[in-house]
Amino acid sequence: MNQQEKQTYFTKFNNQLHILGRITLGVGVILMLAAPFVIGILLDAAPSLNGFLKGIARVAVIYVPVGIVEFLVYAPMLGAGGSYLSFITGNVTNLKIPCAMNARDIAKTEVGTPENEIISTLSVATSSLVTMLVLFIGVLLLVPLRPILENPVLTPAFDTVVPALFGALGLKYFTKAPKIAIVPLAVMTLLCILVPAAISQTSLLLIPAGGLALGIGYLLYKKGRL
Amino acid sequence: MDFLSQANSLPVYLICGGVLLFIVIMCVIFLVKSYRAGLKIGMDPKVLKRAITSSATFTLLPSVSILLGVIALGGTLGVPVSWLRLSVIGALQYELNVAEIAATSMGLSGLRLSEMNVSVFTTIMLVMTVGILSGVFCTLFGLKKYLGKMAAKSKTETKPTEKSRPGFGAYATIAMFVGLCSAYIGSYIGTFTSSGDYLPLTVALISAAAMGVFQYFTVKKKQAWLENFDIATSMFVGMAAAVLINLAV
């Protein structure tokens, strides 16, 4: 197959991949959206519309921009097949991108070539399947451990899962960008000490805290101090 | 039947497993089609197989870490939903943060097993699913056009000769996480000063200390592979401390 034939074949293949990707991604989204409702019917407790609207309004402010930026930055790195799979299987930044980069390095393919796209898709598909297999085996092994996990002695552990996450993440990100961290951390701490009523609204505080950190980060970046 | 028994019941496993089975089929189709296309354009089968095996081995350790996330999240949302959520769009940080936001939006004091019920549970699940869909919708409706534009742009652009400074995008995610962590840590300090409840702050500090140990080994001792486990293990150290503190007092 000469270069011209290769390009023509690959363009046709890529077009098919887009059609397949759109169909499967669309069906996948419908299934994921249906799951809470089906579970709700089975357990006789449908999702609350009021709770959903309140929750999604707070979540969307933070995560809609994050999702769009991830798409704009990572889609060109992953190519068509890699993108359709990565954006439905998740763990894009921490797993799929480094995994695809590693596979490309090993295969020694060049950016923008059909070979590069094929390797990315193979890499992301394999990575997703391995993760799902490991989780499946893990979940099977967890079934007999259920009585232990449901033991009331462990309740404090699961009730503090969020503080445990943000303690660990806090250290990781504060040490990565201490200049950005000082002001938001001081402001949020003072606010919660002086206005204790704000503590129950932490999910709302995330928005100004994120905005403040982004603003400070941008100023420092513009001044070349990051 | 208590909440956790309902969340861990067989029908919930079957529903979550069914959704995941579809995604497995999707991955297999993409894998097979791409492998065949690679052979068709003359790629060496050895290179294709090496890409597959290297990706599989590369993924093993991070997957174990994701499994630890299933256990951490499974204590409040049940194993099957945690299994589903951590196998599809998102990551542990997203899922926990959104579950906490959704729980407080429903009037709970936080993501606490003692306050959970099935209605809150299905609402949290729906918020978790919808909240992360923006990237998926961009892919669904804009990927073909966007990649076409990027390909055309890269053909007309000349390569830069000197290394340029990374854009603000590289720092934006870090800044966003700094903001999120500041709000949570501030609230734990405020909880302690206003009500004397020291548990959230203590757990956060112990997790941070465990993360400090990981940072020492990954940064100073160059043991980069440990980074796969830093968040999940640090969380478990903090959560274990919560159990011990509760037993001690």
Side-chain angles (χ1 to χ4, degrees):
Chain A
M1 196 182 266
N2 63 34
Q3 204 60 30
Q4 178 83 33
E5 286 171 336
K6 193 191 315 187
Q7 201 55 49
T8 311
Y9 171 80
F10 189 71
T11 307
K12 196 179 154 200
F13 166 74
N14 236 357
N15 284 336
Q16 286 176 351
L17 216 56
H18 277 295
I19 295 168
L20 183 68
R22 282 172 178 171
I23 294 170
T24 48
L25 200 60
V27 174
V29 168
I30 292 167
L31 288 176
M32 283 192 293
L33 286 173
F37 291 100
V38 178
I39 291 173
I41 292 167
L42 270 173
L43 302 180
D44 204 20
S48 142
L49 180 65
N50 191 31
F52 168 73
L53 291 176
K54 272 188 191 169
I56 200 65
R58 295 171 189 188
V59 169
V61 175
I62 304 168
Y63 287 104
V64 167
V66 170
I68 294 170
V69 169
E70 279 196 350
F71 166 77
L72 294 174
V73 174
Y74 297 131
M77 295 161 88
L78 291 162
S83 293
Y84 284 113
L85 294 179
S86 293
F87 285 104
I88 195 147
T89 55
N91 289 297
V92 182
T93 325
N94 56 342
L95 180 55
K96 301 297 168 15
I97 291 283
C99 186
M101 294 296 173
N102 178 56
R104 285 180 200 177
D105 281 348
I106 288 168
K108 294 182 176 63
T109 52
E110 283 177 34
V111 177
T113 60
E115 287 83 353
N116 200 47
E117 284 237 6
I118 300 259
I119 293 293
S120 294
T121 311
L122 288 179
S123 173
V124 174
T126 309
S127 175
S128 307
L129 287 169
V130 168
T131 301
M132 283 194 266
L133 182 67
V134 169
L135 293 195
F136 178 67
I137 295 168
V139 165
L140 281 184
L141 295 173
L142 278 178
V143 173
L145 293 179
R146 250 186 60 192
I148 299 172
L149 290 174
E150 291 176 16
N151 191 311
V153 172
L154 293 183
T155 303
F158 295 117
D159 276 352
T160 52
V161 63
V162 178
L165 172 71
F166 283 99
L169 273 186
L171 188 102
K172 190 169 186 166
Y173 284 100
F174 292 163
T175 51
K176 266 186 187 178
K179 288 179 188 168
I180 300 177
I182 295 167
V183 175
L185 184 59
V187 169
M188 289 299 135
T189 303
L190 276 177
L191 181 69
C192 291
I193 291 174
L194 298 174
V195 190
I199 296 166
S200 60
Q201 301 298 326
T202 308
S203 57
L204 277 180
L205 290 184
L206 299 176
I207 298 159
L212 185 62
L214 275 173
I216 292 168
Y218 188 70
L219 277 178
L220 290 170
Y221 174 78
K222 277 283 167 193
K223 290 183 177 176
R225 291 192 188 167
L226 276 180
Chain B
M1 201 192 283
D2 67 18
F3 160 71
L4 214 49
S5 302
Q6 288 180 299
N8 283 324
S9 59
L10 183 64
V12 181
Y13 270 103
L14 291 176
I15 291 163
C16 296
V19 177
L20 290 176
L21 181 64
F22 175 78
I23 296 173
V24 166
I25 294 168
M26 179 180 173
C27 291
V28 172
I29 293 172
F30 273 75
L31 184 77
V32 172
K33 277 187 93 67
S34 298
Y35 189 86
R36 285 182 184 159
L39 292 179
K40 192 97 177 173
I41 62 170
M43 289 178 80
D44 185 349
K46 278 184 195 162
V47 173
L48 297 173
K49 281 176 187 157
R50 210 182 308 146
I52 293 172
T53 49
S54 70
S55 300
T57 49
F58 188 96
T59 307
L60 268 177
L61 278 183
S63 298
V64 174
S65 166
I66 297 170
L67 178 63
L68 295 179
V70 173
I71 300 170
L73 199 60
T76 36
L77 292 182
V79 174
V81 165
S82 308
W83 170 39
L84 171 65
R85 287 305 322 160
L86 288 168
S87 302
V88 295
I89 334 165
L92 181 60
Q93 294 93 311
Y94 165 80
E95 309 298 349
L96 264 177
N97 190 27
V98 171
E100 172 83 2
I101 294 172
T104 51
S105 302
M106 294 279 289
L108 273 63
S109 65
L111 187 65
R112 289 169 183 272
L113 178 60
S114 38
E115 296 176 35
M116 284 290 280
N117 61 54
V118 185
S119 175
V120 171
F121 167 66
T122 52
T123 310
I124 288 177
M125 202 182 160
L126 188 61
V127 175
M128 283 169 132
T129 309
V130 176
I132 197 77
L133 285 182
S134 61
V136 176
F137 282 129
C138 289
T139 311
L140 200 53
F141 301 112
L143 182 68
K144 192 176 180 185
K145 205 173 176 184
Y146 180 55
L147 289 182
K149 270 188 183 174
M150 294 302 285
K153 199 177 162 192
S154 69
K155 274 181 193 166
T156 54
E157 264 179 8
T158 51
K159 283 185 180 173
T161 47
E162 58 185 275
K163 205 177 174 185
S164 55
R165 193 160 75 115
F168 178 64
Y171 300 103
T173 314
I174 295 175
M176 181 59 97
F177 270 106
V178 164
L180 297 188
C181 295
S182 301
Y184 277 110
I185 304 286
S187 77
Y188 304 145
I189 298 172
T191 303
F192 172 57
T193 56
S194 63
S195 70
D197 181 4
Y198 56 85
L199 197 61
L201 181 61
T202 311
V203 169
L205 288 174
I206 291 170
S207 297
M211 177 58 91
V213 174
F214 271 100
Q215 294 276 68
Y216 173 76
F217 283 104
T218 51
V219 179
K220 301 267 182 202
K221 297 286 177 186
K222 312 280 178 211
Q223 300 293 317
W225 65 276
L226 278 172
E227 220 167 348
N228 289 313
F229 293 99
D230 59 359
I231 291 176
T233 312
S234 302
M235 281 173 66
F236 274 100
V237 172
M239 290 162 72
V243 174
L244 294 177
I245 292 167
N246 193 55
L247 288 173
V249 291

